[in-house]
Amino acid sequence: MSWLENLKIAAVALWANWLRSVLTMLGLIIGVGSVVLIVAIGVGTQKFVKDQFRSFGTNVVVVGEDRPPDGLTQNTDRRIKPLTVEDMEALRTQIGAISRASGILSENGRVVWNNKDADGRIYGMEPELARILNWSIRKGRFFTDKEVQQRARVAVLGEEIADELFGAEQPVGKQILVNGRTMTVIGVLEKRSGAFRGYLQFLERGAIMPFTVVEESLIANVTPFGRRVRIIFLETKPGETIEAVTFQVTNLLRARHQITAEDDFFVGNAQEILNVFNAIAAGLTVMLGLIAAIALLVGGINIMNIMLVSVTERTREIGLRKALGASEGVILAQFVIEAVLISVLGGLIGLALGWGAAALVGALSPIKPEVTPIAVFLAVGVATGIGLFFGIFPARRASRLDPIVALRTE
């Protein structure tokens, strides 16, 4: 008997008990659909996070103060040095892998316009930082290097504080008071959407002004160690690895701050956060996939159980076929094919449902799940493997029945 004939017999047998066949497939349908959906969401989530981080650059290294500059550590009486403009210039000029460097000076403040006031944060910086972090302007423009040199009293507002003060009115061109100092609004930052808004998030309630203006009239930043900055942003050159740049930055600052023990600064980058998130996402995907695999195991056991019932119900049929000359191999193939057929059908249905669920998630959320070829291969391959594995025992039992005993079975 050919494999095609065995396949036809298996299809007829399954159709004759279609409701039982569907219920038998149910465990596989749920298992395969869950695995496909979970893997698709995992891949989509990782791509979503990468895109969000890429929007402000994974080639950015951030250096910040680890403790208050005038404080004392718990383990030593050594005074901790703040980050300074001189540190920033040293990083820019002495590390060849760095293409740009810019710092931030910041402090809490109050912004007032037309009898409306809002608590926010004052930031002093240079236009270079906007280029490093890929900032976008919703209205107006950012101040220029020339305006920084000329100490122009201009300000760019974060979107949240601009909406609070001006509402629907045009803020560009208006004069505001920042901690009592008059500034002209020349622009409003565009709010970055998404779950990861990057370094822009802390600026949404900020008033951004030229560094020279802020350090001279708003924030006292002169220390015994130099002109202080809160945070330094560094952009690496193309082809340079973040790890190598981070190592060089750490060593240079330790030498400048004469550190022999604990650092008084921290060095971080978006790539490190991205790597940690990818590791967590991959671990969660594997864990949830293993949980979904339990449904596959249950489905396989269910297939074996139903096939054993089928063998019992068709004992006389098996005896008749063997009496007419069917070999053990033919009977074995018939029942194995039935088990594989029901598993493959369940796998394909589960694949279709998982694909549809992934499309639904993509339509309702910013994450776009992606069903990969590997997921499709695993869905069909695992389903076929389950059919073979759990179908062998009932098939062997059927093939070894004595035809005389089988024919006598009521």
Side-chain angles (χ1 to χ4, degrees):
M1 184 178 289
S2 68
W3 285 94
L4 183 58
E5 290 175 329
N6 269 327
L7 184 61
K8 289 179 180 179
I9 293 173
V12 170
L14 294 178
W15 181 251
N17 297 281
W18 66 269
L19 182 58
R20 185 171 70 182
S21 300
V22 171
L23 294 175
T24 303
M25 297 177 193
L26 194 58
L28 278 176
I29 292 173
I30 295 173
V32 170
S34 299
V35 170
V36 170
L37 178 60
I38 289 169
V39 172
I41 290 177
V43 173
T45 300
Q46 291 183 1
K47 286 192 173 184
F48 172 74
V49 174
K50 286 180 181 178
D51 290 342
Q52 293 295 319
F53 275 103
R54 193 180 295 116
S55 66
F56 58 81
T58 54
N59 63 333
V60 176
V61 176
V62 185
V63 184
E65 296 176 351
D66 203 26
R67 289 179 177 80
D70 295 326
L72 301 176
T73 64
Q74 296 178 351
N75 302 324
T76 178
D77 57 358
R78 176 179 58 86
R79 295 180 68 84
I80 297 175
K81 295 181 180 179
L83 291 174
T84 63
V85 173
E86 291 73 21
D87 288 331
M88 181 178 68
E89 292 302 324
L91 293 171
R92 192 203 316 258
T93 57
Q94 296 182 34
I95 299 179
I98 293 175
S99 60
R100 293 171 175 170
S102 187
I104 286 181
L105 188 61
S106 66
E107 189 174 89
N108 290 330
R110 181 175 293 274
V111 182
V112 179
W113 176 77
N114 197 22
N115 296 324
K116 293 182 180 178
D117 63 90
D119 291 325
R121 196 152 180 89
I122 300 169
Y123 295 101
M125 57 185 70
E126 298 173 344
E128 187 84 327
L129 189 57
R131 294 187 282 268
I132 292 175
L133 299 181
N134 299 324
W135 289 350
S136 299
I137 297 293
R138 190 185 75 178
K139 298 176 182 178
R141 62 178 179 84
F142 208 83
F143 46 80
T144 64
D145 293 316
K146 185 176 181 180
E147 286 172 319
V148 174
Q149 296 170 1
Q150 294 177 343
R151 294 167 173 76
R153 293 183 174 272
V154 294
V156 176
L157 299 180
E159 184 177 62
E160 186 176 324
I161 198 168
D163 290 343
E164 183 176 336
L165 289 174
F166 295 95
E169 191 168 346
Q170 171 64 262
V172 175
K174 301 292 192 302
Q175 288 193 332
I176 59 174
L177 293 177
V178 180
N179 280 9
R181 306 281 180 163
T182 301
M183 303 287 168
T184 301
V185 178
I186 61 171
V188 177
L189 284 179
E190 182 177 0
K191 186 174 183 179
R192 188 165 295 180
S193 61
F196 300 91
R197 298 198 293 273
Y199 302 121
L200 275 181
Q201 185 173 1
F202 65 83
L203 296 174
E204 290 171 5
R205 289 197 60 81
I208 306 164
M209 290 156 286
F211 189 93
T212 50
V213 173
V214 172
E215 72 172 345
E216 286 185 359
S217 58
L218 292 171
I219 301 176
N221 73 324
V222 178
T223 74
F225 307 101
R227 296 158 58 206
R228 179 186 176 189
V229 292
R230 292 282 186 180
I231 305 174
I232 300 172
F233 292 89
L234 308 169
E235 182 183 69
T236 62
K237 293 180 179 178
E240 301 290 344
T241 63
I242 289 292
E243 293 77 9
V245 174
T246 299
F247 179 77
Q248 294 176 63
V249 169
T250 301
N251 285 343
L252 179 57
L253 287 180
R254 284 179 64 87
R256 287 184 55 83
H257 291 206
Q258 300 177 347
I259 296 173
T260 57
E262 190 177 8
D263 291 343
D264 56 10
F265 59 89
F266 70 85
V267 182
N269 59 77
Q271 187 63 52
E272 290 179 351
I273 301 173
L274 181 59
N275 291 340
V276 171
F277 185 90
N278 283 338
I280 294 172
L284 287 175
T285 301
V286 171
M287 182 186 71
L288 294 174
L290 291 175
I291 294 173
I294 296 174
L296 293 175
L297 178 62
V298 172
I301 294 173
N302 193 32
I303 287 174
M304 183 172 64
N305 180 52
I306 294 300
M307 292 304 297
L308 286 172
V309 172
S310 179
V311 169
T312 302
E313 290 178 345
R314 296 159 63 186
T315 300
R316 289 178 63 82
E317 175 195 333
I318 295 169
L320 180 60
R321 294 187 63 191
K322 295 193 73 173
L324 293 174
S327 65
E328 288 189 6
V330 171
I331 302 298
L332 178 69
Q334 177 187 342
F335 282 90
V336 168
I337 289 174
E338 282 189 29
V340 171
L341 181 59
I342 199 170
S343 299
V344 171
L345 287 175
L348 292 176
I349 295 172
L351 173 62
L353 291 178
W355 208 317
L360 182 62
V361 171
L364 299 177
S365 73
I367 296 175
K368 306 301 178 185
E370 181 177 331
V371 179
T372 62
I374 294 178
V376 175
F377 174 78
L378 286 176
V380 179
V382 169
T384 304
I386 286 175
L388 284 172
F389 182 80
F390 288 98
I392 287 291
F393 177 72
R396 285 175 61 86
R397 182 173 177 178
S399 67
R400 292 180 177 181
L401 286 176
D402 187 292
I404 298 176
V405 176
L407 286 170
R408 288 177 178 174
T409 302
E410 297 295 335

